[in-house]
Amino acid sequence: MGDEENVFELIGEIYDAALDLTLWSDVVGKAGHFVGGAAAAIFSKNPIAGTGNVYYESGIDPYYRELYFEKYVKLDPATTGHYFADIGQPIAMADLMPHDEFLETQFYREWAKPQGLVDFVSAVLDKSVTSAALFGVFRHERDGTVDGEARRRMRLIVPHIRRAVLVGRLIDLKSAEAATFADTLDGLSVGICLVDAAGRIVHANAACHVMLDAGDLFSTSGGRIVARDAEIDQTLQQLFAAASDGDVAVGTQGIALPLIGRDGARCVAHVLPLTSGARRRTGVAYTATVALFIRKVALETPSPPEVIARTYRLTPTELRVLLAIVEVGGVPEVAVALGVAETTIKTHLGRLFVKTGAVRQADLVKIVAGYASPLIG
């Protein structure tokens, strides 16, 4: 019961951080300890450019954080795997490569080992064509490698972190006071609607009124907001009612619900409960149980590396070696660049030949070139 109470309290704090971004560092630290790690972060990585950024962190040495993005993000054997992981699914180093092979890497020897780190469990929160945003927890030697319990705990909190992060991108309310909340909402381009447990609208900002008037994605019926898509509407009505019972009752639904207009325009909707924690003040002021966020999204096509990986069913490590062969050169050079033994590269190269049908490294270069975008600029 103690553990259950802890997770309920943590989830409430996660959602509070959606409306007050200054809370995130503390929340990330508590989430990391809950999973069973020494440090944690919400960050992004671009596997193609070898760049990234940390948004919120706890327990990370600033020296090693800067060193990571200056040098080791490109050497991190998990970078490619993180990008191609399914959204919301916990992954550890063992899911990407054998642990013994990981211990051979330059990345482990020079960056992880000096800090006493032995593993890392993460989950993708969101993706674009070029990068992925993740929540990750570092495991110290005293924590041991990632086990089933750590994965279970990640699954408990990641959906809630994802919802809070996505909502936090849309709105930054340092203080959700009743006197200023409506004015703040009305100044946003994102459609925001506050509703009660029955789905009745108690406040909608200007952008949301435009959407309601158009009737393309939503309409009103008896003062209730109704989604044009019947399945989406059923999910929303269930979430509106569930929110009265607190944050955990909302569960994992209502995160990035897909909406498609009659003209093909795409939007996503997010549901944030307002009945617990610091958010309760906002909900009480408007007799609302939920804030519904709606934003337009651009249609993105998969990146060439992602298409290649799917086409030939490559593992993250195989894709990493393939891209390195194209960018760096032969086996010796790739081994140095990735910080592993030449025999390891030869093993992955052999698998690449089998999966792609190539017989020479030059053939692999041609395959990658064939997936490059023909558009310039």
Side-chain angles (χ1 to χ4, degrees):
M1 179 61 69
D3 186 51
E4 184 175 325
E5 291 174 352
N6 286 340
V7 73
F8 287 174
E9 181 178 348
L10 175 58
I11 290 172
E13 293 182 17
I14 288 169
Y15 286 139
D16 286 346
L19 296 186
D20 185 351
L21 304 188
T22 63
L23 301 176
W24 266 120
S25 293
D26 183 56
V27 169
V28 164
K30 291 180 179 179
H33 288 302
F34 175 77
V35 172
I42 292 175
F43 63 102
S44 65
K45 290 203 290 188
N46 182 326
I48 310 303
T51 58
N53 187 45
V54 175
Y55 303 106
Y56 311 107
E57 63 183 1
S58 177
I60 298 175
D61 187 317
Y63 169 76
Y64 281 100
R65 179 192 63 226
E66 294 178 12
L67 189 62
Y68 180 84
F69 288 108
E70 288 176 0
K71 178 180 180 180
Y72 289 100
V73 63
K74 296 180 180 180
L75 296 174
D76 184 351
T79 293
T80 305
H82 287 156
Y83 177 74
F84 290 105
D86 292 334
I87 289 178
Q89 291 303 309
I91 56 171
M93 290 304 305
D95 300 316
L96 304 174
M97 65 191 307
H99 187 67
D100 290 345
E101 190 174 311
F102 170 63
L103 297 181
E104 293 180 9
T105 63
Q106 181 181 351
F107 171 76
Y108 171 75
R109 296 193 311 269
E110 298 180 4
W111 191 83
K113 187 177 181 179
Q115 300 178 76
L117 303 178
V118 295
D119 208 346
F120 182 69
V121 59
S122 66
V124 175
L125 303 177
D126 200 15
K127 287 185 183 181
S128 71
V129 170
T130 58
S131 65
L134 307 99
F135 166 68
V137 178
F138 295 89
R139 300 273 285 194
H140 194 270
E141 292 171 349
R142 60 177 174 271
D143 305 315
T145 55
V146 174
D147 55 14
E149 178 63 12
R151 293 175 188 270
R152 183 187 74 83
R153 289 175 175 244
M154 282 287 283
R155 291 190 183 97
L156 282 175
I157 62 173
V158 162
H160 304 288
I161 291 176
R162 181 170 183 246
R163 176 187 281 124
V165 167
L166 294 177
V167 168
R169 288 182 181 176
L170 306 179
I171 179 173
D172 179 5
L173 301 179
K174 299 300 182 185
S175 178
E177 299 294 339
T180 61
F181 192 62
D183 292 337
T184 303
L185 296 187
D186 287 337
L188 298 172
S189 60
V190 175
I192 303 177
C193 186
L194 306 182
V195 303
D196 65 13
R200 289 186 293 265
I201 300 172
V202 296
H203 182 81
N205 71 349
C208 187
H209 277 299
V210 171
M211 294 180 181
L212 293 173
D213 291 343
D216 192 29
L217 299 173
F218 293 94
S219 61
T220 57
S221 176
R224 296 171 56 250
I225 187 167
V226 179
R228 188 170 65 87
D229 183 289
E231 186 174 345
I232 297 293
D233 185 63
Q234 182 179 10
T235 298
L236 287 175
Q237 302 308 323
Q238 291 173 347
L239 289 169
F240 296 158
S244 298
D245 296 324
D247 302 322
V248 178
V250 175
T252 60
Q253 292 184 302
I255 306 173
L257 289 171
L259 303 166
I260 302 177
R262 295 186 183 91
D263 61 355
R266 295 176 180 268
C267 293
V268 293
H270 304 284
V271 171
L272 179 71
L274 297 175
T275 53
S276 302
R279 290 155 288 119
R280 183 187 295 273
R281 294 194 301 273
T282 299
V284 169
Y286 291 92
T287 64
T289 61
V290 159
L292 177 66
F293 298 78
I294 310 146
R295 74 174 179 90
K296 294 182 178 180
V297 294
L299 182 62
E300 294 185 331
T301 58
S303 64
E306 184 174 1
V307 174
I308 293 171
R310 291 178 178 176
T311 301
Y312 296 104
R313 299 182 179 180
L314 304 183
T315 67
T317 300
E318 289 165 353
L319 178 63
R320 185 166 175 257
V321 171
L322 172 61
L323 297 178
I325 286 173
V326 173
E327 297 172 2
V328 178
V331 170
E333 293 81 8
V334 170
V336 171
L338 300 185
V340 298
E342 290 187 24
T343 53
T344 300
I345 299 300
K346 289 179 180 177
T347 298
H348 291 302
L349 186 59
R351 293 171 183 160
L352 285 170
F353 286 152
V354 171
K355 290 187 175 183
T356 63
V359 295
R360 299 176 304 165
Q361 292 183 36
D363 296 331
L364 295 176
V365 174
K366 290 179 181 178
I367 288 174
V368 173
Y371 283 89
S373 172
L375 301 179
I376 300 176

